[in-house]
Amino acid sequence: MRLSKKVVLATVVLPIILSSQAFASGGKDPKNHPHHQECRLGLDRGMMKELNLTDDQKEQFKTLRQANSKAKKEQFKDRQEQRNQDRMAHLDKMNNLLMADKFDPAKATQLAKEMSEKQVERQVEMLSKQHQMLSILTPEQKNKFISLQKEHKNDCRDDRPSHKGKDRF
């Protein structure tokens, strides 16, 4: 394939790839969607009130949140340049895969595995922090938390708009 064709192809394909997340979420940032804000699972302030936390527990939560926030800021500051380089390297790999004359399923699989591994690492880190926070609760509070979480999830499921019978494309 000639270079001019590759350039034309890149100008058409790359915006499509980069905008796929925006398209998938209806052109809106999913984090700004009202249901995302209302229907997040976790220990929010309203739920904390319902758990009747002791002053000591409230202080422990506050200390843990501050420590996590400080650690996240330090981590972000220290690794910003490395993350930018990693993103550019990933983008280069993706572009090389997409612009190749012939699609290489092995390279695509390897790229997908790398992406999955990073997501798994982030998920494990998040779950670890949630576990730390929930370990502050008493067994009774944990049981109440689980029932409140299930109730909240059911409420969110009931509030979501239905897309039954509508074409999405």
Side-chain angles (χ1 to χ4, degrees):
M1 189 181 301
R2 291 189 359 212
L3 181 61
S4 61
K5 287 184 180 179
K6 286 183 181 181
V7 170
V8 169
L9 185 61
T11 58
V12 172
V13 173
L14 284 177
I16 293 171
I17 291 170
L18 296 176
S19 66
S20 65
Q21 178 61 36
F23 176 76
S25 64
K28 299 176 184 169
D29 183 359
K31 291 182 180 177
N32 291 332
H33 192 275
H35 289 292
H36 180 80
Q37 297 299 325
E38 298 167 11
C39 294
R40 290 189 311 202
L41 294 180
L43 194 59
D44 62 15
R45 292 179 193 259
M47 198 176 287
M48 288 176 72
K49 288 181 182 178
E50 291 189 53
L51 293 174
N52 300 318
L53 300 175
T54 65
D55 289 339
D56 185 45
Q57 287 175 315
K58 290 176 187 176
E59 190 60 37
Q60 288 178 28
F61 275 113
K62 182 178 178 181
T63 302
L64 194 53
R65 276 194 310 269
Q66 289 172 344
N68 285 339
S69 177
K70 185 177 180 181
K72 192 173 182 178
K73 285 179 185 177
E74 289 296 320
Q75 182 183 26
F76 183 78
K77 182 176 74 173
D78 293 343
R79 294 190 348 197
Q80 170 119 13
E81 185 60 36
Q82 181 62 44
R83 283 201 331 249
N84 286 340
Q85 290 175 359
D86 290 347
R87 278 190 201 116
M88 292 306 294
H90 174 75
L91 183 61
D92 287 343
K93 287 180 185 178
M94 191 168 66
N95 286 339
N96 289 339
L97 177 71
L98 296 173
M99 297 301 147
D101 290 336
K102 190 174 181 182
F103 182 74
D104 186 346
K107 286 183 181 177
T109 301
Q110 181 60 34
L111 191 59
K113 284 181 181 178
E114 289 172 14
M115 293 167 57
S116 295
E117 287 171 8
K118 287 183 182 183
Q119 179 62 27
V120 167
E121 289 172 10
R122 286 189 298 267
Q123 194 72 22
V124 169
E125 185 178 332
M126 181 192 70
L127 289 170
S128 173
K129 288 177 183 176
Q130 288 177 349
H131 181 267
Q132 285 178 325
M133 297 201 74
L134 292 174
S135 68
I136 295 171
L137 300 177
T138 66
E140 295 81 19
Q141 289 170 325
K142 287 179 182 180
N143 288 335
K144 175 128 183 174
F145 169 76
I146 290 170
S147 65
L148 288 170
Q149 194 176 40
K150 286 179 182 177
E151 182 181 308
H152 186 68
K153 187 174 182 176
N154 287 336
D155 290 347
C156 288
R157 188 178 308 136
D158 293 343
D159 289 345
R160 270 191 274 173
S162 175
H163 293 289
K164 292 179 183 172
K166 295 181 183 177
D167 288 335
R168 295 191 63 142
F169 297 101

